[in-house]
Amino acid sequence: MSPTPDPSASTAPSTANGSNLTDKNGWDGKLRINKKAEVVNTEILSDPEYSDEDAPPVEQIQADEDLLEDYEADTDEIDLVHCRVSSLPSLRLDRFPKVEKICFRQNQISHIEFPSDFGSSLEDLDLYDNLISHIRGLDHLVKLTSLDLSFNKIKYIRNVDHLIELKDIYFVQNRIQKIENLEGLKNLRNLELAANRIREIENLDSLVGLEELWLGKNKITELKVLPGILTFPSLLKNTQNVSPLLNLKILSIQSNRLPAITGLESLVNLEELYISHNALTQISGLEQNRKLRVLDISNNQIPHLANLKHLEDLEELWASSNLLSSFEEIEKELADKKALNTVYFEHNPLQTKSPALYRNKVRLVLPQINQIDATFVRVSRKELSLSLMDLTATTKILPIL
């Protein structure tokens, strides 16, 4: 049977006498299909790396060589970087019962599949830069102390809360939207969640041993603090808060959407704060963070250097690309900081308006520093001579025998 002609199609060709060339059913021999398509799953349009959890597994081609043939059976470390590994079962890892560290960076692994009798001694697992979408297959790796799943396609944090020996866990550059399912990790010291899609800081109240928290390049807009936070820590569950982390030493929250520094009052042991590339207009909220050694407030909209007098242990201040214009404020806030050795003030009005005098003026108000921006401070011969004279005067010179 001939196809039914499409009435919307163009007119069929004509003969010399003006009649159309068609068969008895009116078909001109051309197959026409209406250009209509229905997208069943619209998520694939906005997400170029979309993966369907229920889709059948991709057929794996068996390796034509044994990548581990040169490893001894009692080896404690396996390293296969950029080897185009796509299937873990094909490696037959059960041959290495004593392995403690595995690094499979930059491969094509999409599923975590280890033999059920493997991994009793495994402590360090590195699967950085692969094609993993779902966290599975870690149930029996209970001795893990370090797990790196950075640069994959992970959307949800799952199936890791039983790994109670973990000290370091890395989820950098994934597609995670929520911090969750970390309740059992009481020994965790380092949590890296930079470059994801997180909007709230939550579900961290059980991580009492956490010392480093990396949340740069997310979508966080606020750091909250609740009344009675130390008296009723249970109230913090599912809230946007970092205050339960009393042992936290490093907090990186760069490249987010924070308009102010808040919620850090209970972080009395904080030593390094990285809060550049946000929407800050003033320095505040650091009154209780007296142990700060490094403060990075670069790339904000801060016009005045203030509220730093109490930071007596400050060693490095990064304040580039703001609106600072007063050398008097620099002297007032920083001149008494004996430990201060590095400052960054480039791309502020105080540098752009007088670039030739900028460095000398900074040295004049802060004579104790060793580095201005990316350049070390040069010590003149006169200054070096005076320093040596002072050293000689206070040091007993022993005679040379």
Side-chain angles (χ1 to χ4, degrees), residues 315-331:
E315 298 177 7
E316 298 184 17
L317 175 63
W318 299 54
S320 304
S321 301
N322 277 282
L323 304 176
L324 303 176
S325 59
S326 172
F327 287 97
E328 289 75 14
E329 291 177 354
I330 293 177
E331 183 176 15

Side-chain angles (χ1 to χ4, degrees), residues 321-357:
S321 301
N322 277 282
L323 304 176
L324 303 176
S325 59
S326 172
F327 287 97
E328 289 75 14
E329 291 177 354
I330 293 177
E331 183 176 15
K332 177 183 177 181
E333 295 293 323
L334 303 177
D336 62 340
K337 304 289 187 293
K338 296 181 180 179
L340 187 66
N341 58 66
T342 301
V343 292
Y344 277 73
F345 292 123
E346 59 185 348
H347 306 305
N348 279 282
L350 57 81
Q351 183 260 332
T352 57
K353 289 183 178 180
S354 56
L357 302 176

Side-chain angles (χ1 to χ4, degrees), residues 206-225:
S206 64
L207 306 182
V208 294
L210 199 65
E211 296 180 358
E212 300 181 23
L213 177 59
W214 305 85
L215 292 166
K217 201 177 180 182
N218 277 284
K219 301 179 179 181
I220 301 167
T221 58
E222 187 177 6
L223 297 174
K224 292 181 180 178
V225 61

